[in-house]
Each structure stands twice: as structure tokens, then as C-alpha cells.
Amino acid sequence: MSGTLQRLAILGSTGSVGASTLDVVARHPERFQVVGLTSYQRIDLLVDQCQRFRPRVAVVPDEGKATVLRAELAARRVATEVRVGPGALSELAAADDVDSVMAAIVGAAGLPPCMAAARAGKRLLLANKEALVVGGALFMRAVRDGGATLLPIDSEHSAIFQCLPEDRSAWASRIDHIVLTASGGPFRQRDPDSLHDVTPEQAVAHPNWVMGRKISVDSATMMNKALEVIEARWLFDLQPERIRVVLHPQSIIHSMVVCRDGSVLAQLGTPDMKVPIAYGLSFPERIESGAQRLDFLQLQSLSFEPVDMRRFPGLQLAWDTLRGAAGSTAVLNAANEVAVAAFLAGTIGFTAIHRVNATTLDRLEPHLSPDHSLDDLLALDERARAAARQVMQELKGT
Ligand code: NAD
Ligand code: MG
């Protein structure tokens, strides 16, 4: 893509990944043009982003926010058109004047615009792991049929991708298994019996990464790693037993490929999302990301530990759902989104998140047909959310 301007839509531009994307983009005005930005809550930040990057269109969830945004943009003489709702997100993701879509919405809400980008054959930079966890085979088929290029942004998957040859047909013969690294989050060393009374503020205080609140809670339960195992299954077409997880508290090695001959390839760097974001933006080239460089002489040591499954019971659900009925990963994701939102709102305790996830999975049979549609998946997502809310009600009564 060198020499040509890459026209970019950033879905979820006001979030942690979205803002880091704009940070990288701003370093390369000759390479990138921002065509669309979107936000669900932070209209103040979206106004600033529109003023700075002058996108053609900005998308917000409702008319109330659109009215506020239009007034602010008019006051600042910014000509960005304001559009409303999920349909406008998918339209932007598939628009003719968009080459690349950064999918940085959090949760299953990002699936429809991701599917639209995939079907329209875009370069799709995927941070929104929940979209792939829910979409699974349907998502990957849309990527293939639409001729899209799927580029992983999650740091572990970017690491694996960077360790593999550009020619995807060589992947299967090369990989014995992959090892996803996990920091263990804020509770790696905390007594598991004391986890029930941790607060949202303690749970979102990640030792190495600064991220949105939902993924920070997922890191504390290690559900984030469970979602990443499922994500890796689809991105690299690997059977579940070929995906392993190891604790690596320093977050310097971002993940590893163990090759058939026993050779291990790893990608290292400081824990900064700007590196995988810059790689997705510039692939197959490399551009300045703005991330701090790794100083080997400052590194004390790189250590590894097994995951304590008693402390992090949610991790096992990744392999269980991948081996279970089609749609099980979508049920797990929906239950987890509901449970994490309730935990952040102070309605349930930290250890109840896993109980809600496991009980919802036990109760709900997904019943997805092999040729299911996006609508079937969205209906299943709704059913699983309702089931998870019911489970939470019952838990409160106990
Ligand atoms: P965040 O909460 O900081 O930002 C989320 C963005 O999505 C915001 O712009 C928000 O306005 C928008 N949004 C939220 N709900 C929405 C909805 N229902 N409809 C439309 N837009 C909505 O989250 P984040 O930390 O930037 O994470 C974004 C995605 O990237 C997640 O899927 C996360 O798992 C993944 N990810 C994040 C990091 C990280 O370092 N933050 C690393 C790897 C992967
Ligand atoms: Mg990750």
C-alpha cells in the first residue's frame, strides 16, 4: 500500500484501542486519511477527534447524542456528517470510500459492522475479539467469500501473525502448537478464597496494560484469555488442543509459535497496543508506532508459570465451548458481557462472573444449524443474555 493513501474507518474511535489508532495515524498524515469515526458514549472526545481528523462521517447511537454532536461540530465549523444507529455503523464499514476498517468496538455489538466490512472485502483490523468469538465460522466464511484481509490487532494474535509467513497456505504445515502468554492480571498472586469481595476498581487496575473497563475485568478473571483462545482457533485455523496458555507476568513476550521441528518463534516488545496497531495499519510494511523501545539491559527477567485453574476457572471454558455444540462460544460471550456489566455496576460480586457464565452454558442449548445466518447468531446472543440475567436473579436469592 506504500505510495497510496489508505482511507480508514475507526469503529469505536473514542475507546482505548481507537484512541491509540488515531495516535499512530497522526504520525503518518501522508499514509492515512480518516473517513469515519464512531462513539457510543464519549461525544466530547468524538467532537475533538472530528475537529482534528475531519472525517466525512461520524456515527453515534441515538438522536439525542446526534443533536449534541451536530451543534458542537457546527460551532467549530467542522463539516462532518452525523449518522445514527447500528445500520450507520455497518454502512460506514462497507462504504466505497473506505479501504480499511479498524474494529475497536467492545462486545458482540461490533459483529454486524465487522460482517459488513468482511463481506465488502475490506482490510479488516480486528481488535474486537468478541465479534470473532460470536461470529466464528460464519465470520471466517464472510472474510473468505468477500475477499477481505483479516489482520489481528489483539497483541497475542498479532505476535503469532508476525511469527508466521505471509503465505497462509504454509501455516498448517509449520505450526505444531501456539502458546498465548497471559500476565495473570491484578489477582495472579491473591488468595483465591479472598476474590469474592474485590471491587471493580481493584479488578480494572491491570499491572501492565491500560485498557477499557470490560477487557480489564476480563483480564482479572482470565476470561480475556479464554476469548483469545477462541479467537486464535479461528484466526489461525487451529484445533483447540493446539492452543496453549502460559503465565508470563512481565508481558514482554506477546505470544509464541512452536514449529513442527521444535523451534520456537516469539515476538517481543513493550506492552503497548500501538505496536500491533501500527503493524495492522502498515502490513506487510512496518512504520513508526510511537511505542517505547524495549531495553534489554533494563529487563530483569522473563518468567513463566502454569495457570492456576482454581483461581481462574473461566479459562477452561474456552476449550469446553470450542469442543461443545456450535454456538456455545457465543453463549459464553453473551453471559460474560452481562455478568461483567453487572459486576462493574456493583450488582454482583467478582466470583459470581464465573458462576453466571458456567451456569448459563449448562442451561442453554444453542441449537444452531450448520448453515446459520447472522440473524440466527444475534437471536442466540439475545437468548443467552436473557438466560444470564435469569441466572443472576437466582444467584441473588441464594
Ligand atoms: P473501550 O471500552 O475503551 O472502547 C470501546 C469503544 O467502543 C468506545 O469507542 C465505545 O464508545 C464503543 N462502544 C461501546 N459499546 C458500543 C456499542 N454497543 N455500539 C457501538 N459502539 C460501542 O474498549 P477497548 O479497551 O478499546 O477495547 C475495544 C476492543 O478491543 C475490545 O473488544 C477489546 O477486547 C479489544 N482489545 C483491546 C485491547 C486494549 O488494550 N484496550 C487490547 C486487545 C484487544
Ligand atoms: Mg490480548
Side-chain angles (χ1 to χ4, degrees):
M1 278 228 173
S2 66
T4 57
L5 199 60
Q6 201 180 138
R7 297 167 303 173
L8 192 62
I10 304 174
L11 311 180
S13 62
T14 54
S16 166
V17 171
S20 294
T21 304
L22 285 172
D23 189 319
V24 177
V25 163
R27 291 166 197 275
H28 305 278
E30 73 297 345
R31 284 187 86 112
F32 303 109
Q33 181 193 350
V34 176
V35 175
L37 297 174
T38 86
S39 178
Y40 200 66
Q41 285 121 343
R42 292 287 309 275
I43 303 307
D44 54 335
L45 183 52
L46 186 59
V47 172
D48 292 343
Q49 291 180 342
C50 289
Q51 182 168 24
R52 180 152 182 221
F53 292 94
R54 306 278 163 161
R56 171 177 65 76
V57 57
V59 182
V60 292
D62 56 65
E63 284 299 339
K65 292 194 173 63
T67 305
V68 175
L69 180 59
R70 285 189 187 110
E72 279 294 325
L73 292 175
R76 299 192 195 187
R77 300 185 193 288
V78 178
T80 299
E81 181 196 350
V82 176
R83 305 285 314 279
V84 175
L89 285 177
S90 292
E91 249 177 66
L92 170 61
D96 286 341
D97 62 351
V98 167
D99 304 308
S100 301
V101 174
M102 165 58 84
I105 287 175
V106 58
L111 177 59
C114 280
M115 288 289 290
R119 286 173 176 149
K122 304 298 184 194
R123 229 174 116 100
L124 178 52
L125 282 61
L126 186 75
N128 182 198
K129 67 192 83 185
E130 296 92 345
L132 190 49
V133 168
V134 176
L138 184 77
F139 190 129
M140 296 309 290
R141 205 157 44 240
V143 167
R144 207 178 45 240
D145 295 350
T149 305
L150 185 57
L151 297 167
I153 298 299
D154 214 345
S155 57
E156 295 76 3
H157 306 75
S158 174
I160 301 289
F161 186 65
Q162 292 182 53
C163 292
L164 290 172
E166 266 176 49
D167 175 9
R168 284 168 195 251
S169 65
W171 289 3
S173 63
R174 192 160 298 210
I175 304 174
D176 182 77
H177 65 275
I178 63 171
V179 180
L180 302 181
T181 53
S183 70
F187 305 138
R188 180 174 61 90
Q189 292 175 310
R190 194 179 162 121
D191 174 6
D193 293 326
S194 74
L195 282 174
H196 56 273
D197 58 3
V198 303
T199 64
E201 288 326 305
Q202 290 171 319
V204 300
H206 197 280
N208 305 341
W209 297 91
V210 181
M211 309 181 285
R213 285 168 76 78
K214 192 262 177 181
I215 182 175
S216 296
V217 175
D218 284 347
S219 299
T221 57
M222 277 192 79
M223 264 308 295
N224 182 50
K225 211 51 56 180
L227 299 177
E228 291 183 354
V229 167
I230 299 165
E231 186 186 10
R233 184 266 171 270
W234 295 111
L235 283 174
F236 306 113
D237 193 20
L238 290 171
Q239 289 309 305
E241 59 275 14
R242 290 188 185 274
I243 307 167
R244 301 188 191 158
V245 173
V246 69
L247 286 187
H248 166 49
Q250 297 83 12
S251 300
I252 297 296
I253 295 179
H254 297 307
S255 280
M256 300 176 265
V257 176
V258 181
C259 303
R260 299 268 179 185
D261 58 5
S263 189
V264 182
L265 305 175
Q267 185 261 346
L268 285 73
T270 49
D272 187 332
M273 284 305 291
K274 291 201 290 295
V275 176
I277 289 169
Y279 191 61
L281 286 168
S282 64
F283 173 82
E285 298 171 15
R286 292 197 183 249
I287 56 173
E288 173 58 48
S289 65
Q292 212 188 342
R293 298 303 188 255
L294 199 56
D295 181 346
F296 287 99
L297 302 180
Q298 288 284 310
L299 280 182
Q300 311 224 308
S301 66
L302 300 179
S303 62
F304 305 93
E305 299 165 17
V307 179
D308 173 356
M309 289 297 198
R310 190 165 94 87
R311 192 188 306 265
F312 300 114
L315 180 59
Q316 182 58 40
L317 298 178
W319 292 277
D320 294 351
T321 52
L322 280 173
R323 293 186 179 117
S328 302
T329 59
V331 173
L332 173 59
N333 178 73
N336 186 57
E337 284 193 37
V338 167
V340 170
F343 169 68
L344 284 171
T347 343
I348 64 169
F350 182 76
T351 46
I353 297 173
H354 174 66
R355 271 190 288 160
V356 171
N357 293 347
T359 313
T360 306
L361 277 170
D362 280 347
R363 287 226 187 132
L364 199 138
E365 258 307 311
H367 296 308
L368 266 190
S369 75
D371 57 348
H372 59 265
S373 65
L374 176 58
D375 284 343
D376 295 335
L377 278 177
L378 297 178
L380 175 61
D381 175 76
E382 264 312 312
R383 272 206 299 140
R385 281 167 202 267
R389 281 190 285 268
Q390 176 67 34
V391 171
M392 286 197 305
Q393 278 302 327
E394 292 167 17
L395 284 180
K396 263 182 236 156
T398 59

